[in-house]
Amino acid sequence: MKLQMHSIHFDADNKLVDFIQKKADKLETFFDRIIDGEVFLRIEKNESNENKVIEIKLNIPGNQLFAKQQSNSFEAAADEAVESLRRQLKKHKEKLVAF
């Protein structure tokens, strides 16, 4: 799956980009018609340790899925966001089968 990575106000490490790409690629096992996606990585300026924010937007035929997670590391936030998208894809697929 083609993902565009956008790291806002910092440069993302290649290991992080590869990690997110591998996680997102696993979503294709649940729904094989994902067109593409965008990932936004951002560090919020606040006092808490959970200042890493990841937003993932997936384009699928006739719809768009979105997940936003905040955590103390980008890896943890990516895990949570991908899990959220997995649930959304599963729900979307069930709706398609119902028709």
Side-chain angles (χ1 to χ4, degrees), residues 14-31:
N14 282 339
K15 285 171 41 178
L16 175 62
V17 171
D18 291 342
F19 175 82
I20 295 169
Q21 182 70 51
K22 283 180 187 171
K23 284 286 185 183
D25 285 343
K26 291 180 182 177
L27 290 173
E28 289 188 308
T29 61
F30 299 101
F31 191 74

Side-chain angles (χ1 to χ4, degrees), residues 40-89:
F40 296 94
L41 304 168
R42 192 170 51 241
I43 298 177
E44 299 232 325
K45 292 183 178 163
N46 59 20
E47 297 300 315
S48 89
N49 284 342
E50 294 191 357
N51 63 344
K52 315 288 190 304
V53 179
I54 186 168
E55 299 175 359
I56 304 176
K57 183 169 58 171
L58 289 182
N59 294 314
I60 58 176
N63 208 346
Q64 194 174 61
L65 304 178
F66 181 79
K68 178 179 180 179
Q69 293 294 332
Q70 185 168 347
S71 188
N72 58 353
S73 73
F74 282 118
E75 289 82 0
D79 279 339
E80 294 169 18
V82 167
E83 178 60 25
S84 174
L85 287 169
R86 184 193 65 78
R87 287 192 304 268
Q88 291 178 44
L89 283 170

